[in-house]
């Protein structure tokens, strides 16, 4: 089976989409809401679904990655507390120095040494500071599911092309952040799911054209593409196409989005929109 033109769709999940209330289900009379909506993501996914339907015959393979978290996670509020025992709110950045100074601590003291070891390793890599995110993409929840229009377009692609979508789950190990679909921020050799995903990498490297879309450009899209280019052979970058109108940054991270696109263009990655990319 040829894999010449591939779509890598990163985390097109309900919790990341700024969905209008009319598209959110209710539970016991209360409307469910996306827990980490990315401004513009709903429109991004609508454009992506329309593009996929128009280009269906030209797309040979689809990989969909899915953030898949537990409530207990080193990057979620349930893990941390302030020195006085009060809750740490979402969107709090935590450094190893702050933990050593006593400003923040794990709710369970026995977790302190491991948490510090993680923070030290994360900061040594220089890519991210630990961020306490709202609980999002909890395994089995509505928020973990794929945006409805994207799901429908992928379903139609499977029927038309008579091949299955490949799904890649990431983020279920509670002791490391896992933005990239290829590897966690701090891989644990004893937990294979956190280490380099050789099967996914091998599939992506078969692409003569790899179209990338998804959420969020400031984090999971960025980390995945960075890891891919680090592992790819020289000359691979021009095969990668970023659909820039099918990705958006987390609120407050627009600078990281702009920097990512600029760096990728410098390396030879192509930047397109759904209006300009015709396969």
């Amino acid at each position: 089976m040829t894999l010449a033109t591939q779509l890598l769709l990163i985390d097109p999940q309900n919790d990341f989409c700024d969905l209008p209330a009319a598209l959110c289900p209710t539970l016991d009379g209360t409307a469910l809401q996306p827990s980490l909506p990315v401004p513009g993501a709903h429109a991004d996914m609508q454009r992506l679904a329309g593009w996929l339907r128009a280009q269906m015959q030209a797309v040979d393979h689809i990989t969909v990655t899915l953030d898949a978290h537990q409530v207990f996670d080193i990057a979620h509020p349930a893990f941390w507390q302030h020195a006085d025992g009060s809750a740490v709110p979402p969107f709090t950045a935590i450094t190893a120095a702050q933990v050593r100074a006593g400003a923040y601590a794990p709710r369970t003291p026995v977790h302190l040494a491991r948490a510090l070891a993680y923070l030290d390793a994360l900061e040594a890599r220089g890519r991210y500071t630990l961020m306490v995110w709202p609980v999002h993409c909890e395994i089995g929840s509505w928020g973990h599911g794929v945006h409805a229009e994207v799901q429908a377009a992928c379903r139609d692609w499977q029927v038309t092309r008579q091949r299955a979508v490949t799904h890649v789950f990431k983020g279920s190990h509670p002791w490391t952040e896992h933005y990239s679909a290829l590897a966690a921020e701090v891989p644990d050799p004893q937990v294979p799911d956190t280490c380099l995903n050789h099967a996914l990498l091998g599939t992506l490297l078969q692409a003569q054209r790899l179209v990338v879309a998804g959420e969020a450009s400031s984090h999971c899209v960025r980390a995945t593409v960075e890891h891919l280019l680090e592992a790819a052979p020289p000359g691979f970058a021009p095969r990668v196409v970023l659909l820039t109108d099918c990705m958006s940054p987390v609120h407050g991270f627009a600078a990281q989005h702009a920097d990512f696109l600029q760096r990728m263009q410098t390396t030879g990655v192509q930047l397109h929109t759904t209006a300009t990319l015709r396969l």
Side-chain angles (χ1 to χ4, degrees):
M1 181 178 69
T2 178
L3 302 180
T5 298
Q6 298 186 36
L7 171 63
L8 174 60
L9 182 48
I10 298 170
D11 302 358
Q13 293 162 274
N14 290 323
D15 266 345
F16 294 133
C17 294
D18 53 342
L19 296 167
L23 296 181
C24 297
T26 59
L27 179 64
D28 296 329
T30 301
L32 299 178
Q33 297 291 328
S35 63
L36 187 48
V38 173
H42 174 51
D44 291 342
M45 294 302 99
Q46 290 180 307
R47 283 187 289 268
L48 186 281
W51 177 87
L52 178 56
R53 291 187 183 282
Q55 303 296 317
M56 199 163 287
Q57 292 290 352
V59 176
D60 300 312
H61 185 79
I62 298 176
T63 299
V64 175
T65 76
L66 296 169
D67 237 13
H69 295 307
Q70 312 278 2
V71 172
F72 176 77
D73 187 291
I74 198 167
H76 285 167
F79 187 91
W80 295 100
Q81 62 184 8
H82 287 287
D84 62 4
S86 61
V88 174
F91 304 105
T92 299
I94 295 179
T95 67
Q98 290 172 314
V99 174
R100 287 192 169 93
Y104 302 103
R107 290 174 183 259
T108 303
V110 72
H111 291 156
L112 177 61
R114 188 169 184 180
L116 277 171
Y118 172 72
L119 291 172
D120 287 339
L122 177 70
E123 292 168 21
R125 291 172 179 260
R127 285 163 55 88
Y128 297 98
T129 298
L130 177 81
M131 177 66 72
V132 177
W133 298 107
V135 175
H136 60 282
C137 299
E138 183 183 356
I139 296 169
S141 70
W142 167 78
H144 182 254
V146 173
H147 182 281
E149 291 185 47
V150 171
Q151 179 74 1
C154 287
R155 183 184 299 120
D156 290 346
W157 176 87
Q158 294 184 70
V159 172
T160 299
R161 297 304 308 275
Q162 286 295 288
R163 52 188 68 176
V165 169
T166 296
H167 291 88
V168 175
F169 292 78
K170 63 184 179 69
S172 60
H173 185 57
W175 285 99
T176 180
E177 292 153 286
H178 204 145
Y179 298 121
S180 167
L182 285 165
E185 288 307 307
V186 180
D188 182 344
Q190 298 184 22
V191 184
D193 286 350
T194 68
C195 300
L196 181 62
N197 187 330
H198 290 281
L200 174 59
L201 177 63
T203 296
L204 299 179
L205 292 181
Q206 294 180 56
Q208 294 303 308
R209 182 191 287 112
L210 179 63
V211 181
V212 181
E215 307 301 344
S217 55
S218 54
H219 289 79
C220 295
V221 175
R222 167 189 161 195
T224 300
V225 175
E226 288 174 346
H227 276 166
L228 173 63
L229 295 182
E230 288 170 7
F236 185 81
R239 301 188 197 177
V240 179
V241 180
L242 301 182
L243 271 183
T244 58
D245 63 340
C246 295
M247 58 180 68
S248 296
V250 174
H251 178 71
F253 289 87
Q256 287 82 349
H257 164 89
D259 174 71
F260 166 62
L261 294 185
Q262 189 277 326
R263 286 189 294 107
M264 292 301 101
Q265 193 166 31
T266 299
T267 66
V269 169
Q270 300 179 54
L271 306 187
H272 272 285
T273 68
T274 51
T276 63
L277 183 61
R278 292 294 180 263
L279 306 179

